[in-house]
Amino acid sequence: MNDLVRIPCVLMRGGTSRGPFFLSADLPSDAASRDAALLSIMGSGHPLQIDGIGGGNPVTSKVAIIGPPSVAGADVDYLFAQVRTDRQIVDYSPNCGNMLAAVGPFSIEAGLVKARETETLVRIHNVNTGKVIEAKVPTRNGEVIYLGDASIDGVPGLAAPIALTFLDAAGAKTGKLLPSGNASDIIDGLRATIIDCAIPMVLMRAADLGVTGYEDAATLSGNEELIARMSAIRIQAGEIMGMGDVSDKVIPKPVLIAPPQKGGTLAVRYFMPNDCHPALATTGAVGIATAVVTPGTITADLVGGASLPTTVRLEHPSGRLDVELETRGGSTIAGLVRTARRLFEGYAFAKPAEFVEHAA
């Protein structure tokens, strides 16, 4: 026994991200107390998150909060939190599609969804966006199957495939696929596409910013001039999207695009928002792929457009990610495959709220 707050926790990898999963009932119901607990658990405010379980990188400083569904037609609620590494901020504005891959397995093992014989469909209501995503989780004899022969670039080894289907991803935060009403806009003297599909983004041609778009993630993250220029553009894009001052938010995400190098549809570099993703966010992939089939966007112009159904292959720093696009009921449906793994289960320990120092 000790003077820390003990909270049941499961550490999981979802796609190319990793973070703790909590049942909503196990966290404080008060938002401020909940955020204080998450900041303490993750160790935020220190670049290495040395006093917590965060990994010192945006892709390993993520939290999933799972609970009973609050909307009809869903099996569970999924609230995603991006916990900043550099500052003590918990940001609920985005969704995370990589962590989403682990929501189905967690929900089954937590007893929120009953496993079926060979495959279990889990309908996930993402609280951040109000959208429902379907996950098909491999199961057998009432148990989740994690081992398999599927691979995703950015994660070593093989695992069981989890198929994610975004049923209606357009307008995740703003209610509009193209929040400005235009397929492209001139922002700070640069032509860009502002799109809100699975997650709000501002797409820019790498060449217009003085880079190739083929650089590795570390090189781009260390390019201070590039980061400053993209930050200025994304803040203006946030205003155009009606999101107000996004300086302390992680959305909209800046994305660099370039012609493909390795037989894909497009080369992309996705930022979070000031660090380049070592692979590619799942939500980002859905939005970028949708932009490819949306006439007039800079992506559609670059690849020459595409008609549905189609497969959009996105080249990223760790390999590629394929997105299957089709229409269903008048909406564009996006499907892709991710993997997940349960890593650790037990308790996370948080300082009481009054001991958590909040940044000014």
Side-chain angles (χ1 to χ4, degrees), residues 179-242:
S180 71
N182 304 315
S184 68
D185 295 275
I186 302 299
I187 306 175
D188 199 22
L190 180 145
R191 183 172 175 238
T193 287
I194 300 171
I195 190 167
D196 179 10
C197 186
I199 197 164
M201 294 179 289
V202 53
L203 312 179
M204 299 161 279
R205 289 177 297 213
D208 291 344
L209 287 157
V211 294
T212 65
Y214 310 128
E215 295 86 351
D216 60 39
T219 298
L220 292 171
S221 296
N223 187 331
E224 295 182 2
E225 183 178 348
L226 172 69
I227 298 299
R229 181 81 193 282
M230 288 197 304
S231 178
I233 291 170
R234 88 168 195 95
I235 288 172
Q236 292 180 55
E239 293 282 356
I240 294 170
M241 298 175 91

Side-chain angles (χ1 to χ4, degrees), residues 14 20 25 55 81 93-94 100 103-104 116 137 145-146 177 219-220 242 245-246 253 267 279 291 303 308 318 344:
S93 60
L100 178 72
V103 173
R116 298 191 177 275
V137 182
I145 302 301
Y146 288 107
L177 176 66
T219 298
L220 292 171
D245 184 1
V246 298
K253 306 281 191 178
V303 305
L308 299 176
S318 295
F344 175 83

Side-chain angles (χ1 to χ4, degrees), residues 9 18-22 27 34 37-39 41-42 44 53 58-66 78-83 90-92 94 96 99 103 128:
C9 171
R18 189 187 71 223
F21 278 62
F22 299 98
L27 289 170
R34 179 187 63 197
L38 296 181
L39 290 168
I41 288 168
M42 299 302 284
S44 290
I53 64 173
V59 300
T60 52
S61 189
K62 300 182 175 186
V63 173
I65 302 170
I66 314 300
Y78 158 50
L79 176 63
F80 169 70
Q82 179 72 62
V83 183
V90 182
D91 189 353
Y92 297 100
C96 177
M99 290 283 278
V103 173
N128 309 74

Side-chain angles (χ1 to χ4, degrees), residues 161-173:
I162 297 173
L164 299 177
T165 303
F166 290 75
L167 301 176
D168 182 17
K173 296 298 289 187

Side-chain angles (χ1 to χ4, degrees), residues 38-339:
L38 296 181
L39 290 168
S40 176
I41 288 168
M42 299 302 284
S44 290
H46 185 278
L48 297 179
Q49 295 180 312
I50 199 68
D51 195 36
I53 64 173
N57 186 283
V59 300
T60 52
S61 189
K62 300 182 175 186
V63 173
I65 302 170
I66 314 300
S70 60
V71 299
D75 297 310
V76 295
D77 271 4
Y78 158 50
L79 176 63
F80 169 70
Q82 179 72 62
V83 183
R84 294 280 291 270
T85 58
D86 55 338
R87 300 169 65 184
Q88 290 192 309
I89 295 176
V90 182
D91 189 353
Y92 297 100
S93 60
N95 178 19
C96 177
N98 275 305
M99 290 283 278
L100 178 72
V103 173
F106 174 86
S107 300
I108 293 169
E109 295 189 286
L112 296 174
V113 178
K114 184 178 180 180
R116 298 191 177 275
E117 183 57 33
T118 59
E119 183 179 77
T120 302
L121 176 65
V122 182
R123 292 172 290 267
I124 302 164
H125 169 232
N126 176 232
V127 179
N128 309 74
T129 63
K131 301 292 186 177
V132 174
I133 304 98
E134 294 181 347
K136 292 182 179 178
V137 182
T139 49
R140 184 174 58 240
N141 299 327
E143 295 182 346
V144 173
I145 302 301
Y146 288 107
L147 303 179
D149 57 4
S151 66
I152 61 173
D153 290 333
V155 177
L158 302 175
I162 297 173
L164 299 177
T165 303
F166 290 75
L167 301 176
D168 182 17
K173 296 298 289 187
T174 66
K176 298 178 180 179
L177 176 66
L178 300 172
S180 71
N182 304 315
S184 68
D185 295 275
I186 302 299
I187 306 175
D188 199 22
L190 180 145
R191 183 172 175 238
T193 287
I194 300 171
I195 190 167
D196 179 10
C197 186
I199 197 164
M201 294 179 289
V202 53
L203 312 179
M204 299 161 279
R205 289 177 297 213
D208 291 344
L209 287 157
V211 294
T212 65
Y214 310 128
E215 295 86 351
D216 60 39
T219 298
L220 292 171
S221 296
N223 187 331
E224 295 182 2
E225 183 178 348
L226 172 69
I227 298 299
R229 181 81 193 282
M230 288 197 304
S231 178
I233 291 170
R234 88 168 195 95
I235 288 172
Q236 292 180 55
E239 293 282 356
I240 294 170
M241 298 175 91
M243 298 172 60
D245 184 1
V246 298
S247 301
D248 288 335
K249 292 184 173 67
V250 296
I251 56 173
K253 306 281 191 178
V255 180
L256 298 180
I257 65 168
Q261 271 194 321
K262 302 176 181 179
T265 307
L266 199 67
V268 302
R269 296 295 185 266
Y270 179 93
F271 290 76
M272 310 173 289
N274 298 322
D275 296 287
C276 183
H277 199 298
L280 177 59
T282 299
T283 47
V286 170
I288 297 166
T290 302
V292 168
V293 299
T294 303
T297 65
I298 63 170
T299 46
D301 289 351
L302 184 61
V303 305
S307 58
L308 299 176
T310 190
T311 299
V312 177
R313 176 162 292 174
L314 302 172
E315 301 173 359
H316 57 72
S318 295
R320 72 180 193 224
L321 198 162
D322 291 352
V323 182
E324 305 285 343
L325 295 176
E326 60 178 295
T327 56
R328 188 191 304 174
S331 297
T332 299
I333 305 301
L336 41 76
V337 172
R338 300 278 83 190
T339 65

Side-chain angles (χ1 to χ4, degrees), residues 14-26:
T16 55
S17 295
R18 189 187 71 223
F21 278 62
F22 299 98
L23 288 172
S24 56
D26 291 331

